[in-house]
Amino acid sequence: MFTDKLIQAIEQKKSPVVAGLDPKIEYVPQLIRAQAGGGLEGAAAAIWEYNRQLIDALCDVVPAVKPQLAYYEMYGLPGIAAFYKTVAYAREKGLLVIADGKRNDIGSTAEAYASAFLGHTTLPEGNVVSLGADALTVNGYLGTDGVKPFVDCCKANNKGIFILVKTSNKSSGDLQDMFLQDGKKVYELMASYVDSWGADSIGEKGYSAVGAVVGATYPEEAYTLRKLMKRAFFLVPGYGTQGGSAADAVAGFDENGRGAIVNASRSIICAYKSSKWQQYGEAGFAEAARAEAMAMAKDINEALEARS
């Protein structure tokens, strides 16, 4: 079960941190860009080398990485190739990989998405793994027929999904906070679906393969949602650059300090640009990322201790 592996990795590394590998070419140090060449091919090559060095620096201090598909798709086919290599290399280095694609569609198309990221593709000569992620973010607002293929794929392949419930962006309340006729909010209704969709895929450690995206920028809502989704593992964006603090981020953890992993992207991969880690300089970008990831884990662990 994916969540069992994730909890084990978090406990081994004492780090409930997932590093978001969301690269733009302007984030990549000039010393790498200068060697990669121009065009989409050069940009993708630079991003891949950037990611490779980041993964080398992070693989023993974080349990997982989360590459966001948009940051690779914007560089066309070479960018998709960089995504593929990033996923494969991260898994080779022992990291779990959460593909952040927020995928979904009608049932047949959802099956194709699930096969691409979490299962296998059937060819005349047999089945082959395509993108090979361990988990995928999913938009649940198409309903059960769009989610079931992902759930089935999780159960068949020991994978996981994280369904959007209460997202970290400022305008999330435009829809998610709207009241329904029964007095519940939309995100509360989505939470009830997440709980039911994952009811028959519970791992040994008590968490389902069907998790939830719950932003650190809404700690009161996260606290409520933890009560509504006791079996759902939370993926928590919004820490750091988006304004969420460690105290905010731990609102979605359970009473044992489990049940959630906190994402940070720019604050980790661009740590070398921060005055906090300026001693590393551009050449030490990977070491700066490692230092920031370790500091973030310490911050969150201390917040968990203070809460208990």
Side-chain angles (χ1 to χ4, degrees):
M1 176 71 70
F2 166 74
T3 47
D4 291 334
K5 291 189 289 185
L6 181 57
I7 291 169
Q8 182 180 20
I10 289 170
E11 292 178 348
Q12 284 178 343
K13 296 178 181 179
K14 297 181 175 60
S15 174
V17 171
V18 55
L21 298 181
D22 302 351
K24 290 183 177 180
I25 189 61
E26 56 263 36
Y27 297 169
V28 180
Q30 184 59 36
L31 57 92
I32 294 177
R33 290 159 60 183
Q35 297 175 356
L40 293 176
E41 291 81 4
I47 284 169
W48 155 238
E49 178 59 22
Y50 181 53
N51 283 354
R52 187 189 67 77
Q53 293 190 43
L54 287 168
I55 289 167
D56 284 345
L58 294 168
C59 62
D60 65 330
V61 296
V62 300
V65 292
K66 185 179 71 65
Q68 160 57 260
L69 266 294
Y71 288 92
Y72 300 87
E73 292 169 345
M74 67 190 294
Y75 297 103
L77 289 177
I80 297 297
F83 171 83
Y84 178 85
K85 289 192 288 186
T86 295
V87 171
Y89 189 69
R91 298 191 77 221
E92 180 184 317
K93 299 295 285 189
L95 291 164
L96 293 166
V97 178
I98 302 168
D100 193 355
K102 301 177 176 69
R103 296 302 201 254
N104 206 332
D105 211 305
I106 63 171
S108 58
T109 309
E111 288 178 8
Y113 278 135
S115 296
F117 287 97
L118 305 175
H120 57 259
T121 299
T122 301
L123 298 175
E125 59 269 28
N127 295 331
V128 296
V129 173
S130 177
L131 296 175
D134 295 290
L136 175 69
T137 58
V138 170
N139 183 345
Y141 284 89
L142 281 83
T144 301
D145 64 341
V147 172
K148 186 177 184 299
F150 294 98
V151 177
D152 291 344
C153 209
C154 287
K155 290 189 286 189
N157 300 290
N158 292 319
K159 303 288 186 169
I161 57 173
F162 294 95
I163 295 178
L164 305 181
V165 176
K166 179 58 182 169
T167 56
S168 59
N169 57 305
K170 291 181 180 179
S171 63
S172 67
D174 290 354
L175 173 62
Q176 296 164 22
D177 289 2
M178 294 296 290
F179 283 98
L180 303 169
Q181 289 182 340
D182 62 0
K184 291 181 180 178
K185 291 184 176 180
V186 169
Y187 69 76
E188 292 174 310
L189 176 62
M190 182 56 68
S192 71
Y193 281 120
V194 168
D195 188 62
S196 65
W197 287 330
D200 62 350
S201 62
I202 308 298
E204 293 179 359
K205 297 183 183 296
Y207 278 94
S208 166
V210 182
V213 176
V214 179
T217 45
Y218 298 100
E220 292 183 12
E221 290 84 346
Y223 182 75
T224 298
L225 288 167
R226 172 46 67 205
K227 295 179 181 178
L228 295 174
M229 297 182 289
K230 295 184 184 299
R231 299 171 294 191
F233 208 91
F234 285 12
L235 172 61
V236 182
Y239 173 93
T241 304
Q242 292 187 53
S245 68
D248 297 330
V250 301
F253 284 68
D254 66 20
E255 64 275 10
N256 298 313
R258 281 180 171 178
I261 189 165
V262 183
N263 177 76
S265 299
R266 280 170 289 171
S267 58
I268 292 178
I269 67 174
C270 295
Y272 76 97
K273 295 175 176 283
S274 167
S275 58
K276 180 179 178 183
W277 306 113
Q278 61 183 347
Q279 70 269 28
Y280 289 99
E282 189 177 75
F285 73 93
E287 289 77 11
R290 177 185 175 88
E292 175 60 27
M294 293 174 67
M296 178 180 167
K298 182 175 182 291
D299 195 23
I300 294 168
N301 287 329
E302 287 177 350
L304 284 168
E305 291 176 9
R307 193 191 67 168
S308 62

